């Protein structure tokens, strides 16, 4: 392979896996040590702890999948940087976007774990809730902006100059359909601004105007960028010759779809509010949470498998 800084790649891998390990450990400790009394489903402390472990362990595992995906993607980018400039520029922006998305996921989970220690503190709970909601939104928004930038650069490059651009109208129509349901759920949430029940915290602790400007609009924009990026990549993949490249990018596309739909699910859960989440029952709530975790983990795993396919294709070309 050409011009590969093995030391630099190894350091990146240590940072990625080390971050995933310590973040998982800290998150698990926060969950274990958090106050357990007064849970709304009437579970004993032991049952509640076991239930939390069935969520914490798979959720933390998705962070290791993300570390694996980012590490594998970084290896391909370094190895192929002089072989396929347009594709490498796309994947470099893609990796930057994923780093932002993963960072937001980890930080929101950890700050959410810290929040459990302040559920009865009316001075700390509102600002922490606001911070957590923003951690769910703005890192993902920045991440999808980076991915969109990479896709746009590829679409304008000479390698895919014959492609037909994806319709902005079609993407907007799809996103508006999903966003309409999301906005309805959010603004019918009776505890979005405040809650009269001290055992049920407000969802946002913000006035409706700020919810619209700092919550709803950034989420819709990030979904639009994500949908447009994967639609465009789907159209551009056939222009990038090579079975290995086609297979690798297709898996990366599927992985991105999974991450987008995981984002939609978590925002739908947040928009419902605590009271309505409790009302759907524990079984349905757990099914939705597990679906979110599976989609997120599958997304990062598919991106890693796609990167492996790209790496294999590059190695075959070099050997030839």
């Amino acid at each position: 392979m050409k011009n590969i800084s093995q030391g630099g790649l190894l350091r990146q891998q240590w940072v990625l896996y080390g971050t995933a390990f310590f973040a998982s450990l800290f998150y698990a400790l926060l969950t274990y040590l958090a106050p357990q009394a007064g849970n709304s489903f009437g579970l004993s402390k032991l049952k509640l702890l076991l239930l939390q472990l069935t969520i914490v362990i798979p959720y933390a595992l998705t962070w290791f999948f993300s570390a694996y995906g980012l590490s594998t993607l970084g290896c391909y980018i370094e190895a192929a940087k002089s072989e396929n400039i347009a594709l490498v520029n796309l994947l470099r922006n893609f990796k930057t976007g994923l780093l932002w998305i993963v960072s937001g996921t980890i930080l929101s989970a950890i700050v959410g774990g810290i929040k459990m220690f302040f559920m009865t503190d009316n001075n700390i709970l509102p600002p922490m809730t606001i911070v957590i909601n923003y951690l769910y939104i703005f890192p993902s928004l920045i991440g999808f902006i980076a991915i969109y930038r990479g896709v746009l650069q590829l679409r304008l490059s000479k390698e895919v100059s014959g492609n037909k651009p994806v319709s902005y109208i079609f993407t907007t129509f799809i996103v508006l359909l999903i966003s309409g349901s999301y906005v309805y759920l959010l603004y019918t949430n009776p505890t979005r601004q405040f809650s009269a029940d001290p055992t049920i915290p407000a969802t946002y602790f913000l006035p409706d105007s700020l919810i619209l400007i700092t919550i709803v609009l950034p989420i819709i924009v990030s979904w639009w960028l994500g949908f447009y990026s994967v639609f465009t990549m789907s159209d551009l993949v056939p222009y990038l010759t090579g079975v290995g490249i086609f297979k690798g990018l297709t898996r990366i596309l599927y992985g991105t779809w999974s991450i987008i739909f995981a984002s939609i699910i978590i925002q739908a859960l947040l928009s419902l509010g605590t009271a309505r989440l409790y009302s759907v029952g524990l079984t349905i709530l757990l099914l939705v949470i597990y679906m979110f975790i599976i989609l997120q983990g599958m997304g990062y795993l598919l991106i890693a498998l796609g990167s492996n396919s790209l790496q294999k294709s590059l190695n075959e070309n070099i050997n030839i």
Side-chain angles (χ1 to χ4, degrees):
M1 296 182 189
K2 303 177 181 180
N3 300 323
I4 300 179
S5 174
Q6 295 291 350
L9 285 175
L10 187 60
R11 283 193 297 272
Q12 288 181 25
Q13 290 173 350
W14 274 104
V15 169
L16 289 170
Y17 285 111
T19 300
F21 174 77
F22 286 110
S24 301
L25 182 61
F26 189 36
Y27 181 48
L29 286 173
L30 288 173
T31 302
Y32 176 74
L33 296 173
Q36 305 291 342
N39 71 84
S40 299
F41 296 106
L43 301 175
S44 66
K45 289 186 177 181
L46 178 60
K47 288 182 178 179
L48 182 60
L49 178 61
L50 292 174
L51 182 61
Q52 288 173 327
L53 288 177
T54 66
I55 296 173
V56 170
I57 294 175
Y59 194 34
L61 190 60
T62 67
W63 300 344
F64 284 94
F65 286 161
S66 69
Y68 175 49
L70 289 166
S71 174
T72 309
L73 194 58
C75 288
Y76 174 79
I77 290 170
E78 184 64 29
K81 61 185 179 183
S82 60
E83 302 290 335
N84 193 332
I85 297 175
L87 179 59
V88 167
N89 286 338
L90 166 70
L91 294 178
R92 186 175 285 115
N93 281 282
F94 204 93
K95 181 185 176 185
T96 300
L98 286 177
L99 276 170
W100 277 100
I101 294 170
V102 173
S103 298
T105 300
I106 293 175
L107 287 173
S108 60
I110 290 176
V111 177
I114 297 173
K115 173 186 168 183
M116 297 304 297
F117 293 87
F118 300 97
M119 295 299 290
T120 59
D121 192 326
N122 292 326
N123 293 320
I124 298 179
L125 182 60
M128 287 198 73
T129 301
I130 293 170
V131 168
I132 293 168
N133 286 325
Y134 287 162
L135 285 174
Y136 276 119
I137 297 167
F138 288 103
S140 292
L141 175 61
I142 296 172
F144 282 121
I145 288 173
I147 292 172
Y148 171 79
R149 181 173 177 269
V151 170
L152 199 61
Q153 288 176 348
L154 179 63
R155 187 172 70 80
L156 297 175
S157 68
K158 62 181 181 180
E159 283 83 353
V160 292
S161 57
N163 76 87
K164 181 180 178 180
V166 174
S167 171
Y168 288 99
I169 296 176
F170 176 72
T171 304
T172 303
F173 176 73
I174 297 296
V175 173
L176 286 179
L177 284 179
I178 298 172
S179 301
S181 300
Y182 164 68
V183 171
Y184 173 79
L185 290 174
L186 189 152
Y187 280 103
T188 55
N189 176 3
T191 59
R192 64 183 181 277
Q193 297 174 312
F194 57 86
S195 174
D197 188 341
T199 63
I200 298 177
T203 307
Y204 299 107
F205 288 103
L206 292 171
D208 281 344
S209 58
L210 280 180
I211 291 175
L212 175 64
I213 296 171
T214 65
I215 302 287
V216 175
L217 291 180
I219 287 173
I220 293 175
V221 170
S222 67
W223 289 347
W224 189 93
L225 292 170
F227 273 88
Y228 183 81
S229 296
V230 290
F231 282 146
T232 303
M233 281 183 66
S234 297
D235 286 347
L236 299 184
V237 165
Y239 290 88
L240 299 168
T241 58
V243 175
I245 291 179
F246 180 84
K247 183 178 180 181
L249 286 181
T250 300
R251 286 177 172 175
I252 289 174
L253 273 175
Y254 289 151
T256 309
W257 275 121
S258 292
I259 292 171
I260 292 172
F261 283 114
S263 170
I264 292 172
I265 288 175
I266 194 64
Q267 291 303 329
L269 285 174
L270 291 172
S271 68
L272 282 171
T274 306
R276 289 192 296 186
L277 282 176
Y278 289 159
S279 68
V280 301
L282 181 60
T283 302
I284 295 177
L285 179 58
L286 286 175
L287 285 175
V288 176
I289 292 174
Y290 292 146
M291 186 184 301
F292 160 72
I293 294 173
I294 290 171
L295 281 173
Q296 182 167 282
M298 186 185 300
Y300 295 132
L301 185 58
L302 283 170
I303 288 169
L305 293 175
S307 302
N308 275 330
S309 295
L310 294 174
Q311 184 73 53
K312 183 179 179 181
S313 173
L314 179 65
N315 292 340
E316 290 173 352
N317 291 333
I318 291 175
N319 291 333
I320 292 174

